[in-house]
Structure formats: C-alpha cells, structure tokens
Amino acid sequence: MSLATLMLLAFATMSKAEAETFVDVDNLNITHSLSFRATDFPQVQCMALNVYYEARSSNLADQYAVADVVLNRVEDTRYPNTICDVVKEGQKDANGNMKRNKCQFSWYCDGKHDRPQDEDSWKRAQSVAWDIVKWNTFRGITEGSTHYHTTYVNPRWNKSRKGWSITRVGRIGAHIYYRWN
C-alpha cells in the first residue's frame, strides 16, 4: 500500500475527534492533524470560531489567552454558563435578532458570514480550542481575565467607573487583558 492510502485509512478509522501524528521521513517533519465534527463538539466549534476571528493573526499565546477568557466567563456567574452562550452573547432587537455590532465578541454580529477562509489559521484555531477545552492546555494564562481588547482601541469599560472594578492583567500578543477585582 502507498503512504497516501495508509494515511487515508488512518483518517477513516479515526474516532469522533482524534489527533494523529505523521512523520514525513524524507524531510523529517512532524505534522499534527486534528479532526472533529462540529456537530459532535459544538462547544469546541464555538471556541474555535472565536479564537479564529478574535486572534487568528496573533501569536499562539494570545490565541490561548482569548480562549482562556471565554472559559473564565463560563465560570463567572455574571456571564452565560456555556462556551457557545458566552461567544454569542449580545443585545437583541424586538424580534430576537442580534443587533449589529452589539455583541461581546464583535465578529459574531458584524454582519459578515462566519465561515473561516484561511485554512491554516482555522486548523490552528481548532487545535487551540480542542487543547484548552478538552485538555486545559494553558488554562489560566490570563490569570482570571474576563475582558480584553486589541492594543489599537481604548474601550470605555477599561477604566473603573461606577459599578465597575477591573484591573489590567497585562498584554499578550495583540490584546490587553483585564479581570474583575
């Protein structure tokens, strides 16, 4: 059997979500391939979409940090208690439709389609999402942060105001992270 046939058989026998490691002997490269069906793991899918749209052009630490914030919100009673509900949180109109640009994560209600276009960035976002949701990889990297913003914006919530008490945790990649006091 050819190597391509063996690889195809390996993928065909994979469980619902499984990581495979392949070694390219000719070039001594090791590649990882993660495969999961969004319908089987909807929470991981929501996380992957959020990582992709919030941090795909940033470094790997920042991508894990964005994911960590979502999980911190899931654990905080001020926010919804599932990953998808946190990612999709926002203001709705009288008909129950999301108000444009009124979501916790701007990509979710920006009016654009939510189909990842950059295949490499999408694979990396899926891997980050799987690792942090299923294995707690880099869990806690933001030290409890529930908020972040990119370095080029200055949202009004990043300053303490009446009823708000947040502290800047630090910067990772393209984002600045904050947590409740």
Side-chain angles (χ1 to χ4, degrees):
M1 271 188 226
S2 72
L3 179 59
T5 303
L6 287 172
M7 289 176 67
L8 185 58
L9 286 172
F11 278 113
T13 61
M14 290 171 72
S15 64
K16 290 181 181 177
E18 199 171 294
E20 289 286 324
T21 303
F22 299 100
V23 179
D24 179 355
V25 179
D26 295 331
N27 297 315
L28 294 177
N29 290 328
I30 298 175
T31 58
H32 298 280
S33 176
L34 176 69
S35 174
F36 68 87
R37 288 190 296 259
T39 54
D40 293 329
F41 299 95
Q43 300 302 312
V44 177
Q45 176 75 3
C46 287
M47 181 70 83
L49 285 167
N50 200 56
V51 169
Y52 178 84
Y53 284 108
E54 291 286 311
R56 74 175 169 268
S57 62
S58 195
N59 63 42
L60 193 58
D62 196 17
Q63 291 181 359
Y64 276 103
V66 163
D68 192 50
V69 165
V70 172
L71 293 176
N72 291 338
R73 285 184 174 205
V74 168
E75 293 177 354
D76 189 312
T77 59
R78 290 171 275 218
Y79 301 97
N81 60 4
T82 70
I83 293 168
C84 289
D85 288 347
V86 165
V87 169
K88 296 175 181 180
E89 184 179 18
Q91 295 179 15
K92 295 181 180 179
D93 63 22
N95 297 322
N97 300 314
M98 300 305 292
K99 287 185 178 180
R100 189 172 180 146
N101 299 320
K102 295 291 183 180
C103 293
Q104 293 294 312
F105 300 101
S106 58
W107 68 270
Y108 185 68
C109 61
D110 62 5
K112 300 175 185 174
H113 71 76
D114 296 333
R115 292 180 308 277
Q117 300 297 306
D118 179 341
E119 187 176 337
D120 290 337
S121 295
W122 175 235
K123 286 179 183 177
R124 187 162 68 157
Q126 288 177 303
S127 181
V128 167
W130 183 265
D131 289 349
I132 198 164
V133 171
K134 296 298 183 181
W135 302 108
N136 286 324
T137 305
F138 296 112
R139 187 70 176 97
I141 191 172
T142 65
E143 300 178 10
S145 294
T146 53
H147 294 72
Y148 64 84
H149 64 80
T150 57
T151 57
Y152 57 85
V153 299
N154 188 18
R156 61 188 170 100
W157 57 257
N158 77 351
K159 299 163 194 66
S160 289
R161 42 183 195 152
K162 190 174 183 177
W164 285 64
S165 183
I166 60 174
T167 300
R168 180 179 169 153
V169 173
R171 177 180 173 173
I172 302 174
H175 294 97
I176 300 170
Y177 292 85
Y178 301 82
R179 71 171 167 248
W180 292 104
N181 290 331

